[in-house]
Amino acid sequence: MKELDRLKEGLGESHVLLYKNEGNGMKCSFLKEGLVVDSFVIRDNVLAQQLEEKGINGVVEGSNFQMLRNNYDWFSLSVKSKKLYEELK
């Protein structure tokens, strides 16, 4: 999934993740020192739902951001397994 790859790259290059649900998906913006370093739209509902659980009011920062960054492999595995389960239903 390209969106998971973009998420991983953004986590490595930033300190804060902002997300907002829009009509065509979830817009994610990565901030470093107050500036947006990357921005993209997640159209996958499973990934969007999992990401929403990591933040508060559209923001993932501080210890939540560090946990997401450090445990990204587990997060990615969780998203992929839920995606597979949805396809098998």
Side-chain angles (χ1 to χ4, degrees):
M1 293 176 55
K2 293 180 183 180
E3 294 170 340
L4 276 172
D5 293 336
R6 290 280 305 268
L7 183 62
K8 183 177 182 177
E9 290 175 20
L11 289 170
E13 299 174 359
S14 63
H15 300 291
V16 176
L17 168 62
L18 302 176
Y19 58 87
K20 180 180 180 182
N21 287 320
E22 295 184 343
N24 60 346
M26 176 187 279
K27 183 174 182 178
C28 294
S29 299
F30 293 94
L31 282 75
K32 183 175 185 177
E33 298 175 2
L35 299 174
V36 175
V37 292
D38 192 15
S39 184
F40 67 99
V41 176
I42 294 175
R43 290 185 172 79
D44 182 50
N45 291 333
V46 174
L47 177 56
Q49 289 173 351
Q50 289 290 102
L51 197 55
E52 277 186 71
E53 293 176 6
K54 298 297 180 185
I56 300 169
N57 295 327
V59 180
V60 181
E61 62 182 345
S63 61
N64 288 340
F65 186 86
Q66 291 300 324
M67 283 191 337
L68 180 58
R69 180 191 292 178
N70 294 336
N71 298 319
Y72 178 78
D73 291 335
W74 286 108
F75 175 78
S76 175
L77 181 62
S78 172
V79 170
K80 290 176 183 177
S81 63
K82 287 184 181 189
K83 183 79 172 162
L84 179 62
Y85 180 74
E86 289 293 322
E87 289 179 16
L88 294 175
K89 273 188 174 179

